[in-house]
Amino acid sequence: MTGAHGKYASSRALVNRFHDKTATIAIIGMGYVGVPLAHALVKAGFHTIGIDSDESRIADLEVGQPYIGHLDELTFKYLAAARAFEPTTRAEDLARADAIIVCVPTPLNEQRFPDLSQVVAAATAIARHGKPGQLVVLESTTYPGTTREVVVPVLTGHSSDGTDGAPQSPLVAYSPERINPGGAKDFTTVAKLVSGIDDESTRVAVALYEEVFAEVHAVSTVETAEAAKLLENTFRAVNIALVNELKMSLGHLGIDIWEVIDAAASKPFGFMPFYPGPGVGGHCIPVDPAYLAWKCRMGGAPLALTETAIRVNGSVPTYVVDRLATELENAGQALTDARVLVIGASYKPNISDVRESPAFGLLEDLARRGAAIGYHDPYVPSLETTEGILHSIAFESEQLDRFDAAIICTDHQTIDFSVLAESSILIMDTRHAMAARGHSGGNIVTA
Ligand SMILES: NC(=O)c1ccc[n+]([C@@H]2O[C@H](COP(=O)([O-])OP(=O)(O)OC[C@H]3O[C@@H](n4cnc5c(N)ncnc54)[C@H](O)[C@@H]3O)[C@@H](O)[C@H]2O)c1
């Protein structure tokens, strides 16, 4: 292990290698976050090793075969053609890196508590195969305390879970990813939050990210950087819960939430519009507030508002199915005898990501209540639900006529909603998709 002087001398050399682009950067986790990051690092001039335990992803990276729907095919072609990019499953290659960036998933377990097993596995691989003097940065979204209390002990071989790690460099930082899937903005133009576990780690991590991002925003502690990312997504979750709750209550009073939001948004200050929907989905909005709420509850200071928001957002798919059941009943049909089409399976428009999508809640609740189900999504050819594997049906009038009702879950731009407007089936529109396209009719219900 290098002493304090050795650490500063080697970190100066590391900063120089970042500046002159002779450093090699390894990324662990070549997913939604790791792939664009590899692209940005290679473009900035760094030799980049992309490590993933999923052999099929590495095989796809080698030939430039896209496996993340909304990511530009050119990103994969660029990486496959770049001599400076090495995709691999070999954790041993971590030994060749000057910096290692961890971009592995941070999901919830069955109790909906944080599951850091993949972060711990990545840190264990670094402890086994890394070398002293490397910079290690965690980019995965997680609760405050993870970098210092979970990652550093694994890296230094002092893990409380008995993980047998080799002593490692204490240059460790946290830098949350702020990618917006499907968004048009180049993510390297968005300010990059960075903090190290000490000043030296911050300085070295800032030096790396300054070579790639237009703006680097350093904060005083890793816990601040971890909490900032959770604040960003909890802010969204709470505001979405507010409009979802208002939609349910004002709908009951006969007031249209969409018109209310438009009216409020005419004020140019002090208001930011959020829109209701069928619930929340994706790797962030349903998950990140649960990480924050768990940590605060464990710390003895529970977050009442955040926990309520999680519950409200989670209740929306049931509300939508309840509304559908009532509307069908009013038309003289029981939900148990109905055939219902869910339109859009991904959690947001124009992407194929179905993680935590409210479409699952809708389809599974409908099936549990006895309805026959189907779905259409141009980006999602098949969907694995608790009711079995479903296949997207064609969006044409002969197919639509087989259904009694449709629920608009996700309004992809490529869906031709005029086909739906021409049908006479009951339409539960959770996205205001029909009105936004100028379609109206007695069979359209906003829910
Ligand atoms: N998807 C987003 O838009 C987004 C945005 C901001 C932040 N994040 C956060 O970034 C992190 C990564 O998310 P993602 O969406 O890129 O996940 P992902 O599932 O798309 O990709 C993660 C990859 O990591 C690999 N992996 C897991 N453990 C590994 C290990 N020990 N060694 C090697 N490879 C391993 C998996 O095989 C997978 O390919 C999460 O914490 C997420 O919350 C995601």
Side-chain angles (χ1 to χ4, degrees), residues 180-202:
N180 177 16
K185 200 170 172 62
D186 172 1
F187 78 108
T188 63
T189 62
V190 178
K192 190 81 170 121
L193 290 186
V194 179
S195 186
I197 55 165
D198 53 24
D199 290 347
E200 195 60 7
S201 299
T202 303

mmCIF file of all heavy atoms in Angstrom, residues 180-202:
data_model
loop_
_atom_site.group_PDB
_atom_site.id
_atom_site.type_symbol
_atom_site.label_atom_id
_atom_site.label_comp_id
_atom_site.label_asym_id
_atom_site.label_seq_id
_atom_site.Cartn_x
_atom_site.Cartn_y
_atom_site.Cartn_z
ATOM 1 N N ASN A 180 -30.943 11.204 -19.744
ATOM 2 C CA ASN A 180 -32.394 11.229 -19.903
ATOM 3 C C ASN A 180 -32.730 10.323 -21.082
ATOM 4 O O ASN A 180 -32.594 10.737 -22.230
ATOM 5 C CB ASN A 180 -32.849 12.672 -20.177
ATOM 6 C CG ASN A 180 -34.345 12.751 -20.416
ATOM 7 O OD1 ASN A 180 -35.083 11.822 -20.102
ATOM 8 N ND2 ASN A 180 -34.787 13.853 -20.993
ATOM 9 N N PRO A 181 -33.161 9.059 -20.807
ATOM 10 C CA PRO A 181 -33.377 8.119 -21.909
ATOM 11 C C PRO A 181 -34.339 8.680 -22.949
ATOM 12 O O PRO A 181 -35.422 9.162 -22.610
ATOM 13 C CB PRO A 181 -33.985 6.893 -21.227
ATOM 14 C CG PRO A 181 -33.605 7.028 -19.806
ATOM 15 C CD PRO A 181 -33.513 8.488 -19.513
ATOM 16 N N GLY A 182 -33.937 8.647 -24.207
ATOM 17 C CA GLY A 182 -34.806 9.138 -25.271
ATOM 18 C C GLY A 182 -34.757 10.648 -25.429
ATOM 19 O O GLY A 182 -35.316 11.188 -26.379
ATOM 20 N N GLY A 183 -34.089 11.344 -24.509
ATOM 21 C CA GLY A 183 -34.008 12.810 -24.585
ATOM 22 C C GLY A 183 -33.047 13.229 -25.692
ATOM 23 O O GLY A 183 -32.112 12.500 -26.024
ATOM 24 N N ALA A 184 -33.277 14.425 -26.235
ATOM 25 C CA ALA A 184 -32.466 14.863 -27.382
ATOM 26 C C ALA A 184 -31.134 15.454 -26.927
ATOM 27 O O ALA A 184 -30.176 15.490 -27.682
ATOM 28 C CB ALA A 184 -33.258 15.892 -28.186
ATOM 29 N N LYS A 185 -31.080 15.907 -25.663
ATOM 30 C CA LYS A 185 -29.898 16.649 -25.210
ATOM 31 C C LYS A 185 -28.678 15.731 -25.049
ATOM 32 O O LYS A 185 -28.785 14.640 -24.470
ATOM 33 C CB LYS A 185 -30.236 17.288 -23.850
ATOM 34 C CG LYS A 185 -29.342 18.441 -23.484
ATOM 35 C CD LYS A 185 -29.930 19.137 -22.244
ATOM 36 C CE LYS A 185 -29.012 20.191 -21.681
ATOM 37 N NZ LYS A 185 -28.723 21.285 -22.558
ATOM 38 N N ASP A 186 -27.531 16.174 -25.557
ATOM 39 C CA ASP A 186 -26.269 15.448 -25.374
ATOM 40 C C ASP A 186 -25.939 15.457 -23.881
ATOM 41 O O ASP A 186 -25.772 16.530 -23.286
ATOM 42 C CB ASP A 186 -25.182 16.144 -26.200
ATOM 43 C CG ASP A 186 -23.795 15.572 -25.915
ATOM 44 O OD1 ASP A 186 -23.683 14.636 -25.104
ATOM 45 O OD2 ASP A 186 -22.833 16.092 -26.507
ATOM 46 N N PHE A 187 -25.830 14.280 -23.266
ATOM 47 C CA PHE A 187 -25.692 14.240 -21.801
ATOM 48 C C PHE A 187 -24.367 14.825 -21.321
ATOM 49 O O PHE A 187 -24.243 15.198 -20.161
ATOM 50 C CB PHE A 187 -25.927 12.826 -21.254
ATOM 51 C CG PHE A 187 -24.775 11.880 -21.429
ATOM 52 C CD1 PHE A 187 -24.019 11.484 -20.330
ATOM 53 C CD2 PHE A 187 -24.452 11.358 -22.663
ATOM 54 C CE1 PHE A 187 -22.955 10.613 -20.477
ATOM 55 C CE2 PHE A 187 -23.388 10.483 -22.824
ATOM 56 C CZ PHE A 187 -22.633 10.115 -21.736
ATOM 57 N N THR A 188 -23.378 14.952 -22.220
ATOM 58 C CA THR A 188 -22.108 15.540 -21.775
ATOM 59 C C THR A 188 -22.196 17.070 -21.643
ATOM 60 O O THR A 188 -21.267 17.701 -21.167
ATOM 61 C CB THR A 188 -20.942 15.175 -22.725
ATOM 62 O OG1 THR A 188 -21.208 15.731 -24.011
ATOM 63 C CG2 THR A 188 -20.731 13.688 -22.826
ATOM 64 N N THR A 189 -23.345 17.633 -22.070
ATOM 65 C CA THR A 189 -23.531 19.081 -21.886
ATOM 66 C C THR A 189 -24.259 19.370 -20.564
ATOM 67 O O THR A 189 -24.451 20.531 -20.197
ATOM 68 C CB THR A 189 -24.339 19.702 -23.043
ATOM 69 O OG1 THR A 189 -25.640 19.106 -23.054
ATOM 70 C CG2 THR A 189 -23.661 19.468 -24.390
ATOM 71 N N VAL A 190 -24.697 18.311 -19.882
ATOM 72 C CA VAL A 190 -25.366 18.490 -18.577
ATOM 73 C C VAL A 190 -24.289 18.466 -17.491
ATOM 74 O O VAL A 190 -23.394 17.606 -17.518
ATOM 75 C CB VAL A 190 -26.379 17.339 -18.343
ATOM 76 C CG1 VAL A 190 -27.049 17.473 -16.983
ATOM 77 C CG2 VAL A 190 -27.407 17.304 -19.457
ATOM 78 N N ALA A 191 -24.374 19.403 -16.542
ATOM 79 C CA ALA A 191 -23.344 19.485 -15.488
ATOM 80 C C ALA A 191 -23.183 18.141 -14.784
ATOM 81 O O ALA A 191 -24.169 17.463 -14.484
ATOM 82 C CB ALA A 191 -23.727 20.567 -14.489
ATOM 83 N N LYS A 192 -21.940 17.756 -14.540
ATOM 84 C CA LYS A 192 -21.659 16.453 -13.909
ATOM 85 C C LYS A 192 -21.326 16.688 -12.439
ATOM 86 O O LYS A 192 -20.350 17.373 -12.104
ATOM 87 C CB LYS A 192 -20.458 15.828 -14.636
ATOM 88 C CG LYS A 192 -20.189 14.396 -14.257
ATOM 89 C CD LYS A 192 -21.095 13.432 -14.981
ATOM 90 C CE LYS A 192 -20.660 11.994 -14.785
ATOM 91 N NZ LYS A 192 -21.689 11.164 -14.178
ATOM 92 N N LEU A 193 -22.146 16.131 -11.559
ATOM 93 C CA LEU A 193 -21.882 16.237 -10.115
ATOM 94 C C LEU A 193 -20.792 15.243 -9.748
ATOM 95 O O LEU A 193 -20.840 14.089 -10.166
ATOM 96 C CB LEU A 193 -23.126 15.871 -9.308
ATOM 97 C CG LEU A 193 -24.325 16.802 -9.320
ATOM 98 C CD1 LEU A 193 -25.355 16.296 -8.322
ATOM 99 C CD2 LEU A 193 -23.908 18.217 -8.981
ATOM 100 N N VAL A 194 -19.843 15.690 -8.929
ATOM 101 C CA VAL A 194 -18.726 14.818 -8.531
ATOM 102 C C VAL A 194 -18.362 15.114 -7.089
ATOM 103 O O VAL A 194 -18.351 16.273 -6.669
ATOM 104 C CB VAL A 194 -17.473 15.076 -9.413
ATOM 105 C CG1 VAL A 194 -16.308 14.186 -8.963
ATOM 106 C CG2 VAL A 194 -17.755 14.835 -10.892
ATOM 107 N N SER A 195 -18.060 14.062 -6.325
ATOM 108 C CA SER A 195 -17.397 14.271 -5.044
ATOM 109 C C SER A 195 -16.582 13.042 -4.694
ATOM 110 O O SER A 195 -16.980 11.914 -4.996
ATOM 111 C CB SER A 195 -18.397 14.547 -3.929
ATOM 112 O OG SER A 195 -17.656 14.867 -2.759
ATOM 113 N N GLY A 196 -15.452 13.258 -4.049
ATOM 114 C CA GLY A 196 -14.612 12.146 -3.605
ATOM 115 C C GLY A 196 -14.795 11.906 -2.122
ATOM 116 O O GLY A 196 -15.377 12.726 -1.419
ATOM 117 N N ILE A 197 -14.231 10.792 -1.654
ATOM 118 C CA ILE A 197 -14.309 10.504 -0.209
ATOM 119 C C ILE A 197 -13.340 11.393 0.563
ATOM 120 O O ILE A 197 -13.402 11.458 1.788
ATOM 121 C CB ILE A 197 -14.029 9.008 0.101
ATOM 122 C CG1 ILE A 197 -12.677 8.583 -0.484
ATOM 123 C CG2 ILE A 197 -15.156 8.127 -0.392
ATOM 124 C CD1 ILE A 197 -12.170 7.259 0.073
ATOM 125 N N ASP A 198 -12.419 12.041 -0.144
ATOM 126 C CA ASP A 198 -11.525 13.043 0.463
ATOM 127 C C ASP A 198 -11.145 14.038 -0.636
ATOM 128 O O ASP A 198 -11.511 13.849 -1.803
ATOM 129 C CB ASP A 198 -10.293 12.385 1.096
ATOM 130 C CG ASP A 198 -9.550 11.475 0.115
ATOM 131 O OD1 ASP A 198 -9.673 11.684 -1.111
ATOM 132 O OD2 ASP A 198 -8.856 10.562 0.571
ATOM 133 N N ASP A 199 -10.413 15.088 -0.276
ATOM 134 C CA ASP A 199 -10.103 16.152 -1.250
ATOM 135 C C ASP A 199 -9.326 15.617 -2.446
ATOM 136 O O ASP A 199 -9.539 16.035 -3.585
ATOM 137 C CB ASP A 199 -9.292 17.270 -0.578
ATOM 138 C CG ASP A 199 -10.144 18.047 0.415
ATOM 139 O OD1 ASP A 199 -11.380 17.864 0.380
ATOM 140 O OD2 ASP A 199 -9.573 18.817 1.219
ATOM 141 N N GLU A 200 -8.394 14.696 -2.151
ATOM 142 C CA GLU A 200 -7.554 14.176 -3.230
ATOM 143 C C GLU A 200 -8.412 13.392 -4.230
ATOM 144 O O GLU A 200 -8.265 13.529 -5.455
ATOM 145 C CB GLU A 200 -6.465 13.271 -2.613
ATOM 146 C CG GLU A 200 -5.320 12.947 -3.517
ATOM 147 C CD GLU A 200 -4.546 14.183 -3.999
ATOM 148 O OE1 GLU A 200 -4.810 15.306 -3.533
ATOM 149 O OE2 GLU A 200 -3.697 14.013 -4.881
ATOM 150 N N SER A 201 -9.334 12.595 -3.722
ATOM 151 C CA SER A 201 -10.211 11.813 -4.601
ATOM 152 C C SER A 201 -11.084 12.747 -5.435
ATOM 153 O O SER A 201 -11.299 12.524 -6.626
ATOM 154 C CB SER A 201 -11.107 10.879 -3.777
ATOM 155 O OG SER A 201 -10.340 9.964 -3.039
ATOM 156 N N THR A 202 -11.574 13.832 -4.811
ATOM 157 C CA THR A 202 -12.400 14.796 -5.554
ATOM 158 C C THR A 202 -11.579 15.419 -6.679
ATOM 159 O O THR A 202 -12.018 15.498 -7.826
ATOM 160 C CB THR A 202 -12.922 15.911 -4.621
ATOM 161 O OG1 THR A 202 -13.648 15.303 -3.555
ATOM 162 C CG2 THR A 202 -13.832 16.885 -5.354
#
